[in-house]
């Protein structure tokens, strides 16, 4: 065995050290999360100008420092000289003798200099013996303690804000977002007419979507919603027909479009104008809800795409068609809320014999169109978001006035929603970028109990935040943003608080291409295989071909001089046949304008009497004799 090992070592020495199969180098997880750390986790709760500056730092390529790194840097600032010796400061020679202790000094040695300060322990012992007069001394706080206390104040709600990744791919603002209940698949719809599907389990650090579909050509995607079992999803676009897809993005069906010429919407089989919103039933796998610009809400059965189950017409202050801008189910699927274009909020309870009359009607819920509605799980609170730049909190037991109205939340997109945190203690909504504003798109979080602003999180300095979702299982916040030229889904997470989701894919490096992945594309030399791929013939070949044709290459005949012969008309009487006939005078002359109509009819009287052809023979025996009035010369003179 020893001889074999020696032979192996001898042979191995002839090869370089890098020869052989290398182990795959794995980047440490901490370095991966440091690369995705946000420069500023949140802005101040007050609307201070510093919040805009924090958002502008997002473009910095360097990750921000953690609390432990900050405390280390602060200690370096306080102690400029490092306690760790460098290579130049290493001791040379024998070590120095230890300093003599106080016990080794003689009692007769005189003390030189001021007395040493009393240690903290001795001071504490003295304080215990002496009575304390006045209030106790405040405890000394270091900078690291202040930083940690600030972090605890910000994170008392356990908001995952430390890290961020962006799911890119869209070319315009992302207006629709849906995450399945397990948190493994994400759907994002955009104004670029496409829906992208992301899978955290199969995605690597490049964060690319595995499928892209275009539900309706030329129509914006306005909402997507997963079924309760997450095996299908509903896609709502700007067209009048919603579509159902399976989990892998294959089309299962498309709902029918109604007859636009029928005035009563209850008699149509489907929506007649563009859809605005749609949501799957939270409990029933076979029922979906859609709203449309035609002023109706419809409940569908996904097993029957030809007609709807129920048509709901909202209550209007004056007759007409007002669009239904948004709709929502409650947690149990027993109530439906609809946001109307006139700013009213209407809620219907699904029970036997229910109709279009709403159970709750708030006439002036908002001063503009409503963009988002959300029920709480206990069925007591309703949130509403509107174009008027406000977020209102409603108590369903008392809907006359709102519990709280949060203002100064600009909103320019009809899909801006509002959401709850997993424990429903926080409210989330996004803001749009205004023309003269410098704050950018923000994600605002409010406390449900205190009804006050908790924090504002800067998502993008130039893009508006439209949709937001806080997933309960992943404990990660999804926020969609974009403008006319770009769009993406921002995922906020914390490695210590979040699970799976972004943590799975961000640490998975993309697979390197090997020689086995190379595949040469074969070049097939088969010209003129199909007419589509044939080269157009050159003009020279076309001219040569035309010269060989006796008809196309025939020289035009010159005009004839003289009266003409051989059936051809000469120039003297006109080069064209029509000119020749007109010059002849009577061949195509129309004479009916110069004739007397009475005489023109009477000239055929003798012929009709002698040789009747059509009607006259049938009445030959019973028809009286025709008598024509004779013209008198006296009458003509008059």
């Amino acid at each position: 065995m020893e001889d074999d090992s020696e032979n192996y070592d001898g042979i191995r020495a002839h090869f370089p050290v890098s020869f052989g199969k290398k182990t795959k180098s794995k980047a440490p997880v901490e370095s991966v999360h440091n690369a995705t750390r946000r420069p500023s986790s949140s802005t101040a709760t007050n609307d201070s100008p510093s919040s805009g500056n924090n958002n502008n730092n997002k473009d910095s390529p360097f990750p921000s420092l953690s609390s432990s790194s900050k405390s280390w840097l602060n200690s370096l600032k306080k102690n400029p000289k490092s306690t760790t010796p460098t290579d130049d400061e290493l001791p040379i020679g024998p070590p120095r003798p230890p300093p003599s202790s106080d016990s080794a000094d003689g009692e007769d040695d005189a003390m030189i200099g001021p007395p040493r300060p009393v240690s903290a322990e001795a001071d504490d012992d003295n304080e215990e013996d002496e009575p304390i007069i006045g209030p106790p001394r405040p405890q000394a706080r270091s900078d690291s303690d202040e930083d940690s206390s600030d972090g605890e104040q910000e994170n008392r709600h356990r908001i995952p804000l430390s890290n961020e990744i962006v799911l890119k791919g869209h070319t315009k603002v992302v207006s629709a977002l849906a995450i399945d209940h397990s948190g493994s698949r994400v759907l994002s719809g955009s104004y670029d007419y496409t829906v992208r599907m992301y899978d955290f389990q199969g995605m690597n650090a490049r964060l690319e979507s595995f499928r892209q579909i275009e539900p309706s050509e030329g129509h914006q995607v306005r909402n997507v919603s997963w079924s309760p079992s997450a095996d299908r999803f509903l896609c709502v676009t700007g067209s009048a027909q919603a579509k159902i897809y399976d989990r892998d993005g294959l089309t299962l069906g498309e709902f029918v479009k109604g007859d636009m010429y029928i005035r009563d919407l209850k008699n149509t089989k489907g929506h007649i104008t563009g859809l605005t919103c749609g949501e799957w039933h939270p409990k029933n796998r076979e029922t979906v809800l859609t709203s449309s610009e035609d002023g109706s809400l419809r409940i569908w059965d996904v097993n029957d795409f030809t007609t709807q189950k129920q048509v709901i017409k909202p209550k209007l202050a004056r007759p007409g068609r007002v669009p239904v801008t948004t709709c929502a189910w409650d947690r149990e699927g027993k109530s439906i809320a609809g946001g109307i274009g006139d700013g009213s909020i209407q809620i219907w309870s699904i029970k036997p014999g229910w109709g279009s009359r709403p159970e709750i009607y708030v006439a002036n819920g908002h001063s503009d169109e409503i963009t988002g509605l959300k029920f709480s799980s206990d069925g007591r609170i309703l949130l509403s978001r509107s174009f008027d730049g406000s977020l209102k909190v409603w108590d369903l037991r008392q809907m006359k006035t709102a519990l709280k109205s949060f203002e100064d939340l600009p909103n320019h997109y009809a899909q801006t929603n509002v959401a709850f945190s997993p424990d429903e203690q926080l409210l989330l909504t996004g803001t749009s970028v205004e023309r003269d504003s410098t704050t950018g798109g923000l994600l605002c979080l409010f406390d449900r109990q205190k009804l006050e602003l908790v924090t504002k999180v800067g998502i993008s300095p130039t893009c508006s935040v439209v949709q937001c979702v806080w997933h309960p299982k992943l404990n990660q916040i999804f926020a969609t943003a974009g403008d006319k030229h770009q769009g993406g889904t921002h995922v906020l997470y914390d490695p210590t608080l979040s699970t799976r989701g972004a943590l799975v894919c961000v640490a998975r490096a993309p697979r390197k291409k090997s020689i086995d992945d190379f595949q040469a594309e074969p070049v097939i030399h088969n010209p003129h295989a199909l007419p589509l791929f044939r080269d157009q013939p050159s003009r020279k070949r076309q001219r040569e071909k035309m010269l060989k044709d006796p008809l196309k290459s025939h020289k035009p005949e010159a005009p004839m001089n003289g009266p003409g012969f051989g059936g051809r008309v000469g120039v003297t009487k006109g080069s064209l046949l029509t000119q020749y006939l007109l010059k002849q005078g009577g061949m195509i002359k129309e004479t009916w304008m110069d004739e007397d109509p009475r005489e023109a009819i009477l000239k055929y009287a003798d012929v009709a009497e002698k040789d009747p052809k059509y009607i006259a023979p049938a009445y030959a025996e019973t028809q009286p004799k025709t008598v024509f009035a004779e013209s008198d010369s006296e009458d003509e003179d008059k």
Side-chain angles (χ1 to χ4, degrees):
M1 295 296 292
E2 295 179 357
D3 296 339
D4 294 340
S5 61
E6 291 177 359
N7 293 334
Y8 174 77
D9 295 337
I11 296 173
R12 186 68 181 84
H14 294 281
F15 293 94
V17 178
S18 60
F19 181 79
K21 186 176 181 181
K22 299 179 182 180
T23 58
K24 186 181 292 185
S25 60
K26 294 184 179 180
V29 179
E30 294 181 359
S31 63
V32 173
H33 292 317
N34 286 334
T36 61
R37 190 176 295 276
R38 288 171 53 84
S40 58
S41 61
S42 63
T43 61
T45 55
N46 299 328
D47 297 334
S48 61
S50 63
S51 62
N53 299 334
N54 291 342
N55 293 334
N56 295 334
N57 295 337
K58 189 183 292 281
D59 298 333
S60 176
F62 301 101
S64 63
L65 297 175
S66 60
S67 58
S68 60
S69 301
K70 285 183 180 178
S71 60
W72 177 70
L73 286 177
N74 292 332
S75 64
L76 290 181
K77 291 178 182 178
K78 294 179 180 178
N79 303 323
K81 292 185 178 181
S82 176
T83 57
T84 305
T86 60
D87 295 340
D88 299 336
E89 297 176 355
L90 290 175
I92 301 175
R96 294 179 180 179
S100 59
S101 60
D102 295 340
S103 59
D105 296 339
E107 296 179 356
D108 300 334
D109 293 342
M111 185 173 61
I112 301 173
R116 296 179 181 178
V118 182
S119 62
E121 296 177 358
D123 194 7
D124 295 341
D125 297 338
N126 296 334
E127 287 181 357
E128 290 178 1
D129 299 337
E130 297 177 359
I132 299 175
I133 302 175
R137 295 179 183 178
Q139 295 181 357
R141 298 180 60 188
S142 62
D143 295 339
S144 60
D145 295 338
E146 293 179 1
D147 295 340
S148 61
S149 64
D150 294 341
E152 291 176 0
Q153 186 70 12
E154 290 182 0
N155 244 1
R156 65 181 184 272
H157 294 284
R158 299 177 63 85
I159 306 174
L161 298 177
S162 63
N163 296 64
E164 177 184 15
I165 61 173
V166 183
L167 306 179
K168 297 181 179 180
H170 290 288
T171 58
K172 290 185 180 180
V173 61
V174 181
S175 57
L177 177 67
I179 304 101
D180 66 347
H181 309 290
S182 63
S184 60
R185 291 208 171 176
V186 179
L187 302 175
S188 64
S190 171
Y191 279 8
D192 61 4
Y193 318 136
T194 61
V195 173
R196 287 184 175 268
M197 305 179 67
Y198 300 88
D199 190 356
F200 282 127
Q201 303 300 325
M203 193 162 50
N204 54 29
R206 292 179 180 173
L207 306 177
E208 297 175 347
S209 61
F210 73 92
R211 180 153 297 172
Q212 176 183 356
I213 57 179
E214 186 173 358
S216 184
E217 185 178 358
H219 290 283
Q220 300 170 350
V221 180
R222 296 184 174 175
N223 198 17
V224 286
S225 178
W226 284 102
S227 66
S229 57
D231 59 341
R232 293 169 290 182
F233 67 89
L234 168 70
C235 182
V236 173
T237 63
S239 67
Q241 298 172 273
K243 284 189 174 182
I244 302 293
Y245 293 87
D246 68 353
R247 186 175 175 83
D248 296 325
L250 302 178
T251 306
L252 298 179
E254 182 180 21
F255 293 111
V256 70
K257 182 179 180 180
D259 189 352
M260 62 173 55
Y261 297 104
I262 298 178
R263 184 67 181 172
D264 190 2
L265 294 176
K266 287 193 172 183
N267 295 329
T268 60
K269 295 183 178 180
H271 291 290
I272 61 176
T273 55
L275 302 175
T276 57
C277 188
E279 192 172 341
W280 210 294
H281 194 283
K283 301 293 184 181
N284 190 353
R285 296 176 51 191
E286 314 300 330
T287 304
V288 296
L289 172 68
T290 58
S291 61
S292 172
E293 296 172 354
D294 61 7
S296 68
L297 298 94
R298 297 174 190 264
I299 301 175
W300 303 83
D301 187 352
V302 296
N303 296 322
D304 184 10
F305 294 98
T306 58
T307 184
Q308 71 272 342
K309 293 170 59 177
Q310 180 76 20
V311 181
I312 305 172
K313 294 174 63 177
K315 179 181 178 181
L316 302 176
R318 60 185 64 181
R321 284 186 180 176
V322 180
V324 181
T325 56
T326 185
C327 59
W329 295 96
D330 68 341
R331 184 179 181 86
E332 300 299 328
K334 297 180 180 179
S335 297
I336 296 174
I340 316 302
D342 58 3
S344 64
I345 300 174
Q346 303 185 26
I347 301 176
W348 295 267
S349 293
I350 300 178
K351 52 188 177 182
W354 71 287
S356 293
R357 187 176 184 84
E359 184 175 346
I360 298 176
Y361 175 72
V362 183
N364 297 318
H366 287 273
S367 59
D368 207 338
E369 293 184 3
I370 299 172
T371 61
L373 293 172
K374 183 68 175 180
F375 283 96
S376 63
S377 60
D378 56 6
R380 296 181 179 179
I381 299 296
L382 177 68
L383 307 178
S384 62
R385 188 79 163 90
S386 174
F387 271 133
D388 60 8
S390 66
L391 165 63
K392 292 189 177 182
V393 183
W394 304 85
D395 188 350
L396 292 173
R397 297 166 293 184
Q398 184 68 28
M399 290 287 289
K400 291 184 179 180
T401 57
L403 293 177
K404 179 68 175 179
S405 178
F406 299 101
E407 304 293 338
D408 298 330
L409 302 173
N411 179 14
H412 304 320
Y413 289 93
Q415 288 76 35
T416 303
N417 72 333
V418 60
F420 280 103
S421 62
D423 58 358
E424 297 195 351
Q425 297 302 313
L426 295 177
L427 319 177
L428 293 82
T429 189
T431 63
S432 300
V433 176
E434 293 185 306
R435 181 170 298 178
D436 299 331
S437 177
T438 58
T439 56
L442 303 176
L443 181 66
C444 303
L445 293 92
F446 304 91
D447 194 314
R448 176 182 173 180
Q449 301 297 334
K450 299 180 181 179
L451 295 178
E452 62 182 12
L453 178 66
V454 175
T455 182
K456 290 184 178 179
V457 183
I459 299 298
S460 175
T462 58
C463 299
S464 302
V465 179
V466 182
Q467 293 266 318
C468 57
V469 175
W470 192 334
H471 199 276
K473 289 189 177 180
L474 303 181
N475 194 23
Q476 298 173 12
I477 300 177
F478 295 77
T480 67
D483 54 13
K484 295 181 179 179
H485 309 290
Q486 59 179 336
T489 303
H490 296 250
V491 184
L492 309 180
Y493 71 96
D494 192 328
T496 60
L497 302 177
S498 305
T499 58
R500 301 196 310 272
L503 298 175
V504 177
C505 63
V506 75
R508 184 183 294 125
R511 188 175 67 89
K512 295 182 179 180
K513 291 185 178 181
S514 64
I515 192 63
D516 299 332
D517 297 332
F518 178 75
Q519 183 177 3
E521 297 182 359
V523 180
I524 302 175
H525 299 280
N526 186 14
H528 311 305
L530 294 173
L532 178 65
F533 301 103
R534 290 178 184 171
D535 296 333
Q536 294 292 333
S538 62
R539 295 291 182 90
K540 183 178 180 181
R541 293 182 60 186
Q542 286 184 354
R543 287 196 298 269
E544 292 177 355
K545 190 175 181 180
M546 290 171 62
L547 289 175
K548 295 180 181 179
D549 190 354
L551 297 178
K552 292 183 178 180
S553 62
H554 180 65
K555 183 180 179 181
E557 296 179 353
M560 294 187 63
N561 296 325
F565 63 90
R568 297 184 61 193
V569 182
V571 179
T572 55
K573 294 187 178 181
S575 60
L576 299 178
L577 180 61
T578 53
Q579 295 178 359
Y580 173 76
L581 296 177
L582 288 173
K583 288 180 179 180
Q584 289 298 106
M587 299 186 67
I588 57 173
K589 184 179 180 181
E590 295 181 354
T591 59
W592 59 272
M593 297 188 66
D594 299 333
E595 294 183 1
D596 184 10
R598 182 174 179 278
E599 293 180 357
I601 294 174
L602 288 179
K603 70 181 181 181
Y604 297 104
D606 296 336
V607 179
E609 184 178 357
K610 293 178 181 179
D611 188 15
K613 290 183 178 180
Y614 302 106
I615 300 176
Y619 301 96
E621 297 181 358
T622 59
Q623 188 72 13
K625 187 177 180 181
T626 306
V627 178
F628 294 101
E630 297 180 358
S631 61
D632 296 334
S633 58
E634 298 177 358
D635 297 337
E636 292 178 358
D637 295 339
K638 292 179 181 179

